[in-house]
Amino acid sequence: MFQQVLALIIIAFFVARLFWQKQKKHIGASELAFWLVFWILAALAIVFIKQIDILVASLGFSGTGIEILFYLGVVILFYFLFRFRLRLEKMERDITKIVREISIKNNSRFDSEGGRREKK
Amino acid sequence: MKKKIFCIIPSFNEDKTIREVVGAVKNYVDKIVVVDDASDKDVRGVLSDMHFITVLRHIVNRGQGAALSTGTEYALRQGADIIVHFDGDGQFLAEEIKDVIAPIELGEADIVFGSRFLEKKSQIPWFKKNIIMPMAKIIIKVFFGINNLTDPQSGFRAMSVETAKKINIEQDRMAHCSEILFKAFRGNFRIKEVPTTAIYNNFGQKFSGGLKIIKELILGKLIN
């Protein structure tokens, strides 16, 4: 019981901070919505942990509800990490495209007329 | 009609060799494009009195593949007919450019790769020749199903303008060699290998570089 209350207090702190960040315009509406849903689901999991234990046992898992949630959390984290890596790679390619265009537009041309032309 | 030949030379901190390389290459091509990939050394300054080349500079370092792609894009916009890729570290012999472009000029090939393992004696370090390169061939075979090239990692190549337009280099770093190879085979271009000589002043790509290439190829496949 104590652990559940403590966990809910921590979640409440994070949710409050979330709204503070939205107020300061550090995050957008979609970001707020995403994390709000996440924390609400986390809070529900904590409140109904005993029911989750029963559900998990009925599905044939040997672990407790909290352990299954933990493993699920790790899988989800790895999935997000994978998605972020792909996104990062895409951003790297976009940066290269921008750098390319800048270099071609700003090229210094050395020609036979002598001297160095100013950048175009 | 004589074909306009562009040579793209990517350069990163090759201030000690680039001038000599450019001086040698100029006898065999119509235009030289040096792409300075945000070198810390003054590559552009070293070339400042060479009034026959174009120097493009990346404002941030993007990798050899990106530099080659930039140079190739520039060459396409300038009306090139044949595009040669040539290293700026003095590893290749400029006089062999004519051997590499000959099959394209004769209409026998769309893309030509120089091979360090055909006929000519190249001074390749033992570890690179007997461990790294065979592993590279295995990786190329596993990833792309290509096993009939003797030197899949060669950086000395030439291609027709039609081929260059279709082979869009997307790999910024060292996986571009494999990518060009794969796209050349997938596009059913006429591919040829010719013997070229390699002179090693340093080791070149290390084993860890090979691991990075695998990572880049995997990410590239997932994105596409």
Side-chain angles (χ1 to χ4, degrees):
Chain A
M1 183 65 183
F2 169 72
Q3 295 98 319
Q4 282 176 295
V5 170
L6 184 63
L8 288 171
I9 289 171
I10 291 170
I11 287 174
F13 167 74
F14 281 126
V15 169
R17 200 174 150 70
L18 200 60
F19 280 102
W20 177 81
Q21 284 172 332
K22 176 71 177 75
Q23 198 181 29
K24 292 283 182 189
K25 293 186 172 50
H26 291 168
I27 58 172
S30 58
E31 195 75 6
L32 170 73
F34 174 83
W35 289 110
L36 198 56
V37 167
F38 171 79
W39 287 121
I40 287 172
L41 287 174
L44 287 172
I46 287 163
V47 167
F48 294 108
I49 194 65
K50 289 213 183 316
Q51 285 78 2
I52 293 174
D53 276 341
I54 295 165
L55 173 66
V56 157
S58 69
L59 289 171
F61 290 100
S62 57
T64 61
I66 196 85
E67 283 171 9
I68 300 301
L69 284 175
F70 180 73
Y71 296 144
L72 201 60
V74 169
V75 168
I76 291 170
L77 270 174
F78 269 107
Y79 170 71
F80 276 121
L81 185 63
F82 170 71
R83 289 284 303 267
F84 282 136
R85 284 215 69 164
L86 287 186
R87 204 163 158 192
L88 189 62
E89 181 69 20
K90 176 80 174 46
M91 282 168 64
E92 289 279 343
R93 291 190 182 189
D94 288 340
I95 290 170
T96 297
K97 284 180 190 169
I98 294 167
V99 168
R100 174 165 305 132
E101 280 307 312
I102 291 172
S103 70
I104 290 175
K105 284 181 167 51
N106 289 344
N107 90 78
S108 296
R109 192 182 172 107
F110 300 92
D111 59 23
S112 58
E113 289 169 3
R116 180 177 153 178
R117 279 193 194 162
E118 291 306 310
K119 288 180 187 177
K120 290 182 185 175
Chain B
M1 192 166 65
K2 189 184 180 302
K3 292 187 188 295
K4 205 192 285 186
I5 303 165
F6 275 62
C7 183
I8 314 301
I9 305 176
S11 181
F12 180 66
N13 288 338
E14 283 151 349
D15 55 318
K16 292 188 171 32
T17 55
I18 191 68
R19 195 180 164 83
E20 196 180 325
V21 168
V22 167
V25 165
K26 73 175 167 68
N27 300 316
Y28 302 97
V29 301
D30 299 304
K31 300 272 185 186
I32 297 175
V33 181
V34 173
V35 184
D36 174 10
D37 192 22
S39 300
D40 304 317
K41 311 269 175 70
D42 190 14
V43 166
R44 193 159 46 178
V46 159
L47 301 169
S48 59
D49 64 337
M50 296 188 127
H51 305 299
F52 49 86
I53 64 174
T54 294
V55 180
L56 305 178
R57 180 172 162 82
H58 283 170
I59 54 175
V60 290
N61 180 264
R62 302 311 300 159
Q64 191 184 55
L68 281 171
S69 186
T70 296
T72 301
E73 177 62 28
Y74 177 83
L76 289 173
R77 294 184 193 185
Q78 297 296 312
D81 295 308
I82 296 175
I83 295 170
V84 179
H85 291 167
F86 197 87
D87 283 357
D89 59 1
Q91 190 183 115
F92 301 130
L93 296 179
E95 57 258 36
E96 289 175 346
I97 287 177
K98 57 180 180 344
D99 301 326
V100 175
I101 64 175
I104 300 172
E105 287 183 312
L106 294 171
E108 295 169 357
D110 300 310
I111 183 166
V112 179
F113 295 95
S115 172
R116 296 164 285 188
F117 299 105
L118 286 175
E119 298 171 26
K120 298 197 179 177
K121 299 237 183 290
S122 292
Q123 309 151 9
I124 306 175
W126 186 93
F127 188 76
K128 191 171 181 104
K129 184 177 178 181
N130 296 292
I131 305 291
I132 293 188
M133 284 181 172
M135 282 180 66
K137 278 193 194 175
I138 292 169
I139 290 164
I140 299 286
K141 186 176 176 184
V142 166
F143 269 85
F144 305 122
I146 297 168
N147 62 353
N148 49 356
L149 280 187
T150 59
D151 191 1
Q153 290 296 304
S154 172
F156 193 174
R157 62 182 80 85
M159 58 188 87
S160 67
V161 64
E162 293 79 20
T163 309
K165 281 176 185 169
K166 290 184 183 146
I167 294 181
N168 177 28
I169 302 171
E170 292 176 300
Q171 290 286 346
D172 287 349
R173 305 274 167 200
M174 297 313 293
H176 68 276
C177 283
S178 308
E179 182 196 14
I180 291 171
L181 205 61
F182 170 67
K183 288 181 175 176
F185 274 91
R186 188 181 63 177
N188 290 318
F189 294 110
R190 294 171 300 164
I191 298 166
K192 193 162 181 172
E193 266 191 317
V194 298
T196 53
T197 312
I199 302 161
Y200 279 82
N201 297 314
N202 56 44
F203 187 78
Q205 187 153 235
K206 297 178 178 49
F207 184 74
S208 59
L211 295 175
K212 277 186 194 163
I213 288 174
I214 295 171
K215 182 206 83 177
E216 287 164 13
L217 288 171
I218 291 171
L219 278 172
K221 268 195 178 274
L222 288 168
I223 286 173
N224 293 327

